[in-house]
Amino acid sequence: MAKLLLNLRNVPDDEAEEIRAWLRREQLAFYETMPSSWGISHGGIWLEDDAQLPRARALMVQYQAGRGATARAAAQQARRDGKAESFASQLRARPLYVVGVLVAIVVIVVVTLALPWWLLR
């Protein structure tokens, strides 16, 4: 019976392609399901043989550790170069959006804290 190896929800295309490549390289039989038209399912990568699941999961752990290390190194390099996204850079790039989000947060907090008081009066 087939086993789900990777749910493709929020998985970048490059990561999914790298996973497909190492599955082919390791000769692990797999197939993909496509996302549904209404967004209920986001698709997935499935192993055809569930006996290969422990090996595939071990390879996935190695892959994700390597990808995480690469992403952390890229983030550190961006911070050193001054290209990392920060609150101040967002505020400069999109001031109306940032102020709007801050106002929405304040409104939600005020309503959340005041609602019990209003209901108990």
Side-chain angles (χ1 to χ4, degrees), residues 58-96:
L59 290 169
M60 182 67 94
V61 166
Q62 289 176 348
Y63 168 77
Q64 288 178 334
R67 187 166 174 94
T70 303
R72 282 188 294 278
Q76 286 179 342
Q77 184 64 38
R79 270 188 242 114
R80 281 194 297 272
D81 295 343
K83 296 179 182 177
E85 197 169 274
S86 66
F87 179 78
S89 68
Q90 280 291 315
L91 186 59
R92 281 191 301 274
R94 301 171 65 186
L96 291 176

Side-chain angles (χ1 to χ4, degrees), residues 17-46:
E17 190 53 45
E18 288 174 1
I19 290 170
R20 290 182 201 104
W22 66 253
L23 284 169
R24 288 184 197 103
R25 186 175 54 246
E26 296 294 328
Q27 298 177 347
L28 295 170
F30 71 96
Y31 66 92
E32 288 186 62
T33 53
M34 293 292 116
S36 71
S37 300
W38 297 291
I40 295 170
S41 168
H42 290 271
I45 296 178
W46 297 76

Side-chain angles (χ1 to χ4, degrees), residues 7-23:
N7 183 340
L8 293 175
R9 176 174 292 175
N10 299 325
V11 174
D13 291 335
D14 66 319
E15 182 177 0
E17 190 53 45
E18 288 174 1
I19 290 170
R20 290 182 201 104
W22 66 253
L23 284 169

